[in-house]
Amino acid sequence: MTHLLILFFVTFSAAFMATVPPGLLNMNAAKTSVEKGKNNGIIFSLGVSTMIMTQAYLAVLISKFLFNNPEIIDLLMKIALGIFAFLAVYFFVMAKKIKPNKIRIVKMSKKNSFFKGMLLAALNLLTIPYYSGLNVMWNASGWIKFQAWDIATFILAAGSGTFTVLYLYTFYFNKLELKTKNFSKNSNYVISVLMVILLIITIIRLFYRDHG
């Protein structure tokens, strides 16, 4: 039971930090709330979170398949290494280039908010490799096993972490908007550092696998 709590906390935190920087999803959640009402903003956020949970599940299946085939575990670790390195550089560069430009907003009707949320979330191609990489790390750390409760906890935490950020954007956008630039820059730096830490852990794991 304890490992499930740890798994939920670390996955929730990873999902939360990945969603914090102002971008297409959270800014559209805020815009929907302003123009169509907070309830509609929540519906949009639920659509996004539903897709994130679906992508997290796919990430688990990919990780499970690869772990059940030991000959390609090293390949998976090297892929994760590349992903974390790319994300570390990406978020660092994004932090350096933060400008007070407006984020693109997608118009939507209230009826379609849920599905628009799912569609926009599906367009984020980094989500599945991101959660696959996390799944590899959590598995190596003993925080997750390929069992029903562990998988359900991982998926729920990914969706909850994402929804929490979107909820905050939906209800507190007017306050956050005043601090968007510094908020975004600092968040990107934090995520970049997190990716570096995961990168180091992956390198260590690869080293011990090669010399174990």
Side-chain angles (χ1 to χ4, degrees), residues 89-105:
V89 174
Y90 173 80
F91 284 111
F92 183 80
V93 171
M94 287 296 292
K96 288 290 187 181
K97 292 186 175 181
I98 289 296
K99 296 179 180 179
N101 295 333
K102 292 184 178 179
I103 301 297
R104 178 168 59 93
I105 300 300

Side-chain angles (χ1 to χ4, degrees), residues 60-179:
V60 170
L61 292 182
I62 291 172
S63 300
K64 183 178 180 179
F65 170 77
L66 293 172
F67 264 98
N68 287 336
N69 295 270
E71 67 277 6
I72 51 178
I73 292 181
D74 284 344
L75 174 60
L76 175 62
M77 296 292 284
K78 290 174 182 177
I79 292 174
L81 188 68
I83 291 171
F84 292 138
F86 171 78
L87 291 175
V89 174
Y90 173 80
F91 284 111
F92 183 80
V93 171
M94 287 296 292
K96 288 290 187 181
K97 292 186 175 181
I98 289 296
K99 296 179 180 179
N101 295 333
K102 292 184 178 179
I103 301 297
R104 178 168 59 93
I105 300 300
V106 178
K107 294 182 178 180
M108 66 189 71
S109 66
K110 183 175 181 179
K111 180 173 69 173
N112 296 324
S113 293
F114 182 84
F115 296 104
K116 285 290 185 180
M118 291 187 68
L119 176 61
L120 291 180
L123 295 177
N124 185 1
L125 301 179
L126 288 176
T127 302
I128 293 178
Y130 176 72
Y131 284 109
S132 291
L134 289 179
N135 196 270
V136 171
M137 291 298 97
W138 299 170
N139 189 284
S141 302
W143 292 337
I144 187 172
K145 303 173 184 177
F146 294 118
Q147 298 176 354
W149 280 110
D150 294 61
I151 294 173
T153 300
F154 180 81
I155 294 170
L156 181 61
S160 299
T162 301
F163 180 78
T164 299
V165 175
L166 297 180
Y167 182 89
L168 292 175
Y169 267 88
T170 297
F171 278 83
Y172 301 106
F173 175 69
N174 290 334
K175 295 180 180 179
L176 290 176
E177 188 176 25
L178 299 176
K179 303 178 180 179

Side-chain angles (χ1 to χ4, degrees), residues 1 12 19 31 34-35 53 59 73-74 101 124 134 152 154 175 199:
M1 185 65 182
F12 180 95
T19 315
K31 184 67 172 180
V34 171
E35 293 187 346
M53 288 191 289
I73 292 181
D74 284 344
N101 295 333
N124 185 1
L134 289 179
F154 180 81
K175 295 180 180 179
L199 179 66

